[in-house]
Each structure stands twice: as C-alpha cells, then as structure tokens.
C-alpha cells in the first residue's frame, strides 16, 4: 500500500487538492502497479506561521506568501 505525504503551504482550494490527489493516484497506480483503493495520500496544509524560508517565517514577509493564480 503506497502512502504519500504531501506538504503544501496554506491557500490552495479544495478543488486544487482534489485534482492533485486524483492525478497523483493515477501516476502511483501506473508506476507501482496497484489499485486506487490501496493508495493513501496525506496532505499537510501548513499555515504561513509554520513555514520559513531563509530564517524568516513566511507570515512575516508578504512577498513569500502564496499568490492567487490570475
């Protein structure tokens, strides 16, 4: 049973996460030769206060925060 852990920054919609896990499941099934029901995907949706880049919390620098797709 493949178990995949995905860490992403907060700000993605449920629709985006849904699309991601559907595509990831397809690829895992093809490459690992398993059925979709055996694939487990865990998404850790991290708040900007729990993620840092170069010693700065993302919540402290707006330029590092996820920008909505235009």
């Amino acid at each position: 049973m493949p178990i995949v852990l995905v860490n992403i920054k907060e700000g993605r919609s449920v629709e985006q996460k849904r699309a991601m896990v559907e595509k990831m499941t397809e690829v895992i099934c093809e490459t690992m030769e398993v059925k979709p029901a055996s694939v487990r995907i865990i998404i850790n949706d991290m708040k900007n206060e729990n993620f840092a880049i170069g010693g700065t919390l993302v919540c402290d620098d707006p330029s590092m925060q996820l920008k909505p797709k235009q």
Side-chain angles (χ1 to χ4, degrees), residues 11-58:
R12 302 293 181 185
S13 69
V14 172
E15 291 80 18
Q16 289 173 310
K17 294 176 198 176
R18 187 176 290 122
M20 179 187 69
V21 299
E22 287 174 4
K23 296 287 187 182
M24 287 179 69
T25 299
E26 288 176 19
V27 170
I28 293 166
C29 289
E30 290 172 11
T31 58
M32 304 294 288
E33 299 179 0
V34 297
K35 297 196 181 294
S38 70
V39 176
R40 306 290 188 265
I41 299 174
I42 301 166
I43 301 172
N44 286 325
D45 201 5
M46 297 180 294
K47 294 183 180 234
N48 287 328
E49 65 192 42
N50 297 328
F51 187 76
I53 299 172
T56 301
L57 289 173
V58 172

